[in-house]
Amino acid sequence: MTQRTLPLNAIHAFIVTARHLNLTRAAAELCITQGAVSRKISALEGWLGFALFDRHARGLYLTPQGSSLLPALQAGYQQMLDAALQASRQHATIRLRAPTCAMRWLVPRLVALEKAHPELHVALTTTVDHRPRLENFDAAIVYGHESVGTLLFEEALIPVLAPGLLPDGPQVASALTALTFLHPTADRRDWQLWLAAQGQQLEMRRSQHFATMDLAIAAAIQGFGVTVADQTLVADDLAAQRLVAPLPHPVKTGAIYSLILRPALGSPPGLDRLVSGLSG
């Protein structure tokens, strides 16, 4: 005997109508017309072979068969919903936006986070826009001087260069003048800030300018010259000796990296794990 297909949409319409005992309110909840609700219930009654409601001038009443069937259908439908939600939560995707300058620090942490929580997936989008806004993202890392969301770390600049470029002799700022100065921005403000904090001025005979700090760091690793970089962003490179810091006198710029989140209502599960993975 061929098994008949269970009319799930009609069952849902029956459960909602039984809760309200009113076609108008049921139609409003289901976002369909009263006529469509009536047709779904009639289709289910035809499938079952008995009436579910007695229709009177004052409204709807469940028939004895409808009253008997309702609890089992409610429990079964809720069980399906719970299973679907659980499956969705196990494959949650968090949409994260982050500035390109933070990639050296961020990517290893995302890799570790997804290894620790295989059910979690972070869809990463990079940007050079530092405005503190989420748009259609669930979370965003923001760089700026304004304190927003969860503090990740404060920017502190130090000079770094490839080990092969390390000048001979005393490790002093003046020893860097023979090298090419790499600037993380179109101007020289980062270098000027660090030098001012040391009370020094240097002649920069050769300079190269980059659009982001990450590009300047990458050039320094390749031996192109010496750059100032945030000590947190280059921590892994220093530990792996891809870079060295001959003058470890960090200077805070006043800028910070923060994490902002979508409100809990409507946000994907696992957002708390992202916060722990990035701020821990």
Side-chain angles (χ1 to χ4, degrees):
M1 180 177 176
T2 304
Q3 187 174 14
R4 294 185 297 166
T5 302
L6 193 64
L8 292 178
N9 285 337
I11 289 174
H12 185 213
F14 167 57
I15 292 171
V16 172
T17 305
R19 183 168 65 249
H20 292 292
L21 291 176
N22 183 285
L23 286 176
T24 300
R25 289 197 290 270
E29 180 174 333
L30 294 168
C31 298
I32 57 178
T33 65
Q34 293 183 43
V37 176
S38 293
R39 287 191 294 273
K40 288 180 183 294
I41 292 172
S42 294
L44 181 58
E45 290 174 329
W47 193 93
L48 293 168
F50 55 80
L52 295 168
F53 294 100
D54 286 327
R55 295 158 175 83
H56 299 278
R58 293 185 178 181
L60 300 176
Y61 299 91
L62 284 165
T63 64
Q65 295 96 327
S67 294
S68 176
L69 181 62
L70 179 62
L73 291 183
Q74 287 174 323
Y77 197 82
Q78 188 60 50
Q79 187 175 4
M80 287 190 297
L81 283 177
D82 292 343
L85 286 172
Q86 180 64 24
S88 174
R89 289 177 181 274
Q90 289 176 349
H91 298 85
T93 296
I94 297 175
R95 298 163 298 174
L96 172 66
R97 186 178 71 171
T100 55
C101 56
M103 289 302 101
R104 309 190 73 80
W105 172 87
L106 176 61
V107 171
R109 282 156 182 80
L110 292 183
V111 172
L113 180 67
E114 293 194 357
K115 283 184 177 178
H117 303 283
E119 77 284 359
L120 195 65
H121 173 61
V122 179
L124 176 63
T125 299
T126 60
T127 180
V128 294
D129 182 358
H130 297 312
R131 285 175 289 180
R133 60 184 187 180
L134 281 172
E135 295 180 334
N136 62 329
F137 294 92
D138 303 305
I141 294 176
V142 178
Y143 169 80
H145 289 76
E146 181 182 356
S147 178
V148 294
T150 300
L151 172 66
L152 296 177
F153 57 91
E154 298 178 79
E155 184 179 56
L157 301 179
I158 54 171
V160 292
L161 68 165
L165 289 184
L166 195 63
D168 296 329
Q171 302 302 303
V172 294
S174 59
L176 302 176
T177 55
L179 301 175
T180 298
F181 285 81
L182 311 178
H183 300 275
T185 59
D187 54 27
R188 302 186 176 193
R189 66 177 182 270
D190 288 339
W191 267 113
Q192 290 170 347
L193 179 65
W194 187 84
L195 288 169
Q198 315 309 314
Q200 296 195 37
Q201 292 183 347
L202 291 182
E203 180 185 3
M204 299 182 184
R205 300 168 189 165
R206 295 190 301 274
S207 292
Q208 289 288 341
H209 299 267
F210 296 87
T212 68
M213 182 173 288
D214 189 59
L215 291 175
I217 293 170
I221 291 173
Q222 296 299 317
F224 198 1
V226 57
T227 187
V228 280
D230 177 75
Q231 63 177 357
T232 300
L233 297 183
V234 295
D236 291 343
D237 296 306
L238 293 171
Q241 296 187 326
R242 290 185 290 269
L243 291 171
V244 293
L247 302 165
H249 306 298
V251 175
K252 290 186 177 182
T253 66
I256 59 176
Y257 288 83
S258 304
L259 180 67
I260 59 175
L261 305 172
R262 186 172 301 284
L265 183 62
S267 65
L271 210 53
D272 56 334
R273 295 193 187 105
L274 177 69
V275 176
S276 299
L278 297 185
S279 61

